[in-house]
Amino acid sequence: MYELNLAPGETKVIKLRLSNQDIDSPIDDTFEAVFEERIKESRSFLESITENSSEEEREIQKQAFAGLLWTKQYYNYEVEQWNQRRPWY
C-alpha cells in the first residue's frame, strides 16, 4: 500500500508490475516500451472504428469507450433462487 501526500497540482507516478512469479527486475527497460506499444494499439483501434469522425468526436468517443470498460461489471443473477423465495412467481 502506498500513502502519498500531494500538493495541489502535483503528480506522482507509481510503477507496478503484477505477477504471480518473482521477477528480478520488474521495472526494466521493457516497462515503458510495453506502455508505448499499448498506446499505439489503442490509437490504431480507435482510428479504425472512428474513421469518419472529427478529432473532437474521436476524443468524446474515446472517453465514452473508456467509461464503458472502466464500469464493466459482472452481475450474477440467481433467478431460480430468487423465484423460489418469491411465492407469487
Side-chain angles (χ1 to χ4, degrees):
M1 181 171 79
Y2 295 89
E3 186 175 319
L4 304 171
N5 293 315
L6 302 175
E10 183 181 7
T11 61
K12 296 279 183 178
V13 175
I14 299 173
K15 295 180 179 181
L16 301 171
R17 179 167 281 169
L18 305 177
S19 176
N20 62 354
Q21 302 170 0
D22 289 336
I23 302 173
D24 291 333
S25 181
I27 312 299
D28 58 11
D29 295 338
T30 64
F31 191 84
E32 293 296 329
V34 170
F35 275 91
E36 290 299 321
E37 185 65 27
R38 295 304 165 269
I39 290 169
K40 288 178 187 175
E41 290 172 357
S42 172
R43 287 184 181 146
S44 175
F45 170 76
L46 185 64
E47 288 171 4
S48 72
I49 61 174
T50 61
E51 58 189 32
N52 295 323
S53 300
S54 68
E55 279 301 311
E56 182 180 11
E57 291 170 332
R58 188 172 283 150
E59 282 299 311
I60 292 169
Q61 291 169 331
K62 180 173 73 172
Q63 292 174 18
F65 295 145
L68 288 171
L69 290 173
W70 182 258
T71 61
K72 186 176 181 177
Q73 296 179 16
Y74 173 73
Y75 295 96
N76 184 23
Y77 292 106
E78 295 289 345
V79 175
E80 188 174 316
Q81 289 179 0
W82 186 82
N83 282 338
Q84 289 174 1
R85 288 183 268 150
R86 304 289 191 268
W88 56 86
Y89 282 104

